[in-house]
Amino acid sequence: MINLQPYSNPQYFLILLAALLPIIIGLYFGKRLKIYEALFTLVFLVLTFGGVKWQEGINLLLWLVFEFCLTFAYQHYRKQGKNKTSIFYLTVILAIIPLTVTKFMTTQPAGSVPFVVGFLGISYVTFKTVQVIMELRDGTIKQVDPGTYLRFLLFFPTISSGPIDRYRRFKQDYDKAPSRSDYITDMQYAVRYIFQGFLYKFIIGWFFGTLWLPKIEHQALAVGNMVGGLKLSWWVVAYMYCYSMYLFFDFAGYSLFAVGISYFMGIHTPMNFNQPFKSKNIKDFWNRWHITLSFWFRDFIYMRFTFWAMKKKLIKNRIRLSQASYLIDFLIMGFWHGLTWYYIVYGIYHALAIIINDIWLRFKRKHQKQIPHNKFTEAFAIFLTFHVVCFSFLIFSGFLSQLWFGWK
């Protein structure tokens, strides 16, 4: 059986575009072929999670049954007019248990786990489930339709690595076919995004990630002066820049593929990147980088913890409360990336960067007459933010573990 990694090779795109033709023709004539779309999704899920990855496919099926039962049990509970906080917390905890177990088990030494845990994309579909449960509790979602919910969770263009859509926005697109003129515009965007994705992932990303990064890594490990247990040289700086560029172009290219295929299917999956290296400060960066993930964390962790802490009067000072919320938000993001020291430090680093940025912005507002603001200061802000971000990616890469003896 063929096993294909999403957006990984030309064979995948040839099969994908051939299978998309009936959907494209149907939407062009104003009809959404829901039965064909369901079969189309099933085929590509089998291609992704079948063959040698059959255990991941079984895990996906088990996860789906569990989360479906959980979501609709909670919906039934809310329809009865009940809204106990303890039941809500229990439902959310149960929803994230499969993801938590997967993250923990995948950090175990190779060979110590005798079976495959989780599946490709478990984080992103779990975030969708938690979002729906929270919005059911808030009342912003009144009713979850089983068929639409199934397609929302298993929407194959985004299942492996996002972007993370919202149920209400997805349902609005899925419930109707776009007009012909709107769909022609969608196809124009789709073609543009896919070609841009090829440029990012398979050309620029290949240069940084495949051609240059291994050579720079080899040089950085081979030469350098020992400083505090770290082997440092200018090659480490080169690695930082090269890895940062590779990370952006590879992931942004993938996201463009996912958005482009979504547009071919008449679904306006939100963009995930918006020129992040033009950011003027670290908060601006997180409004431009992995946007759907950062907004998910903002809405469902940062804001909810802030409101909860205000209600419980845990921290009366609003500035201190905001700082605590940032720390919790990014610490959880760090743990989500993996139970490894450099992911956790990456999260703490960004929390501290945003806290320092907020302190600076308050100081700047207070002394705006004394602090110059012009194109040169803006250029310096972009330059500084870029380097703060690149250093965070050096931490995120785990390369410091290789440079630091005893932390391999």
Side-chain angles (χ1 to χ4, degrees), residues 140 287 383 392 400:
T140 51
N287 288 331
F383 174 83
S392 78
L400 293 178

Side-chain angles (χ1 to χ4, degrees), residues 194-331:
I194 289 173
F195 274 95
Q196 188 178 353
F198 270 101
L199 173 64
Y200 277 19
K201 185 174 178 65
F202 294 122
I203 299 178
I204 302 177
W206 179 84
F207 272 102
F208 282 112
T210 303
L211 184 62
W212 293 334
L213 194 62
K215 297 176 182 178
I216 294 173
E217 179 179 357
H218 174 75
Q219 291 295 325
L221 292 171
V223 302
N225 298 314
M226 295 299 296
V227 179
L230 279 172
K231 184 180 285 187
L232 298 179
S233 70
W234 286 108
W235 287 107
V236 178
V237 178
Y239 182 94
M240 179 183 76
Y241 289 130
C242 190
Y243 179 80
S244 297
M245 294 301 102
Y246 162 68
L247 187 65
F248 167 69
F249 284 107
D250 184 75
F251 195 14
Y254 164 85
S255 295
L256 285 165
F257 290 144
V259 172
I261 299 303
S262 299
Y263 270 58
F264 271 132
M265 298 177 71
I267 303 293
H268 297 134
T269 294
M271 294 294 289
N272 230 2
F273 294 90
N274 180 22
Q275 300 179 321
F277 295 131
K278 288 185 176 180
S279 304
K280 298 176 182 178
N281 57 59
I282 199 67
K283 187 177 288 186
D284 185 29
F285 170 79
W286 281 106
N287 288 331
R288 295 167 174 267
W289 176 273
H290 209 340
I291 299 169
T292 60
L293 177 71
S294 63
F295 282 17
W296 191 96
F297 271 82
R298 179 200 66 187
D299 294 344
F300 299 110
I301 295 179
Y302 175 86
M303 295 301 297
R304 287 175 185 270
F305 173 80
T306 300
F307 290 145
W308 177 80
M310 289 175 63
K311 183 178 180 181
K312 298 294 182 180
K313 297 181 180 179
L314 294 181
I315 305 174
K316 294 183 180 179
N317 186 297
R318 294 201 172 191
I319 293 175
R320 298 292 174 265
L321 175 57
S322 175
Q323 292 171 347
S325 299
Y326 281 131
L327 190 59
I328 289 171
D329 184 56
F330 281 96
L331 190 58

